[in-house]
DNA sequence: CCAGGTCAAGGGAGT
DNA sequence: ACTCCCTTGACCTGG
């Protein structure tokens, strides 16, 4: 069975104070330190459990977890937090619920993760962040597989995609085993960056990690492939694990013609074309789970065609 | 309690 | 050189 999901925030629950990305600005972190961060992390973790339960009860079985569960985790080791024992128990509990309810969980670390960077300090920070994402999934007891993936963009092209991709593959080897087993790469939304074709030839062919096909991004960086060709090429990089994709409608086209085309709309306005493939799809819409539920209701009555901008 | 200003990070694009 | 955007708006202060 295919799975459709959404990212990070559940609007209905956040109205009741259930959020998973409580954080703090640097000034506060300097004051309260890792101890304060650990306290927020405990609240965040508890609420992931709430969201997963809500998802399961609502017929949703794919969810992208927030990367902000542990505020400022670059500045400490999770296992050295004073609350670590509690954190361990809670994370394992949340993971157990997810596995019982057959929930697929993913991460999508932010744009400051640049594994291709020519600057060693940036690469080091990225490796730590990716390893910590993997560590969280490990603490949850989730299998080390792209069933529970960590999805990133390469993060920079530096005007030379080929050597950038080679650097990515070299730095990939420096990740923890757990992170390596989970890492997947996504196509970009700028022509100067990485298309599915680029990623296939420059990354998949070298290190064999799967490609996340983002329908919306593909429209801005096709690599000369049609949507169907790119989706199929990405599909060929997934083995026994079901292919993960991202989908969103353009805000410019559908809601506000003045905005840049790359911006995401609140809801989906067209039926997702799967071309006969069995896909898992993360819906990236501003209206979050509400957009997903609305889509599930309307799906059969929507047209497949994009309305071109 | 609320509105508004502010907030770590890397790279790319538009101005 | 500066601003905005991107994974995901949220934190904090002054009223």
């Amino acid at each position: 069975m295919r799975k459709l999901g959404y990212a990070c925030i559940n609007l209905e629950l956040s109205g009741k104070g259930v959020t998973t990305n409580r954080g703090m600005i640097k000034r506060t972190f300097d004051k309260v330190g890792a101890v304060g961060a650990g306290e927020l992390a405990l609240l965040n973790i508890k609420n992931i459990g709430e969201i997963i339960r809500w998802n399961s009860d609502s017929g949703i079985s794919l969810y992208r977890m927030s990367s902000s569960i542990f505020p400022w985790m670059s500045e400490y080791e999770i296992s050295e937090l004073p609350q670590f024992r509690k954190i361990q128990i809670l994370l394992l509990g949340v993971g157990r619920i997810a596995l019982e309810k057959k929930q697929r969980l993913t991460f999508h670390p932010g744009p400051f993760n640049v594994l291709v960077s020519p600057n060693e300090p940036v690469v080091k920070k990225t490796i730590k962040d990716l390893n910590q994402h993997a560590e969280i999934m490990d603490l949850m007891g989730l299998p080390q597989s792209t069933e529970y993936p960590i999805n990133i963009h390469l993060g920079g092209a530096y005007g030379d995609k080929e050597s950038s991709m080679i650097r990515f593959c070299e730095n990939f080897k420096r990740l923890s085993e757990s992170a390596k087993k989970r890492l997947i790469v996504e196509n970009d939304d700028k022509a100067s960056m990485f298309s599915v074709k680029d990623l296939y030839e420059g990354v998949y062919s070298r290190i064999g990690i799967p490609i996340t096909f983002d329908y919306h991004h593909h429209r801005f960086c096709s690599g000369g492939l049609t949507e169907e060709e790119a989706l199929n090429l990405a599909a060929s990089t997934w083995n026994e694990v079901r292919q993960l994709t991202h989908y969103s409608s353009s805000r410019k086209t559908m809601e506000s013609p003045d905005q840049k085309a790359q911006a995401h709309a609140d809801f989906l306005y067209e039926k997702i074309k799967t071309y006969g493939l069995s896909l898992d799809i993360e819906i990236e819409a501003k209206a979050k789970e509400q957009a997903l539920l609305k889509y599930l209701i309307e799906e059969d009555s929507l047209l497949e065609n994009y309305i071109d901008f």
Side-chain angles (χ1 to χ4, degrees), chain A residues 32-45:
Chain A
V32 303
V35 185
E39 288 306 307
L40 291 185
L42 284 171
L43 296 174
N44 288 336
I45 295 164

Side-chain angles (χ1 to χ4, degrees), chain A residues 64-84:
Chain A
R64 179 191 302 172
M65 295 187 284
S66 166
S67 286
S68 309
I69 300 168
F70 290 88
W72 294 95
M73 69 178 178
S74 58
E75 304 301 311
Y76 53 82
E77 293 299 329
I78 292 170
S79 61
E80 288 170 2
L81 290 173
Q83 301 92 338
F84 181 60

Side-chain angles (χ1 to χ4, degrees), chain A residues 28 62 82 99 132 136 144 153 217 228 239 245 253 278 307:
Chain A
T28 307
L62 173 64
L99 290 172
Q132 286 186 304
I136 293 168
Q144 293 181 351
H153 292 268
H217 293 172
E228 182 174 13
N239 297 321
T245 62
T253 308
S278 174
I307 298 167

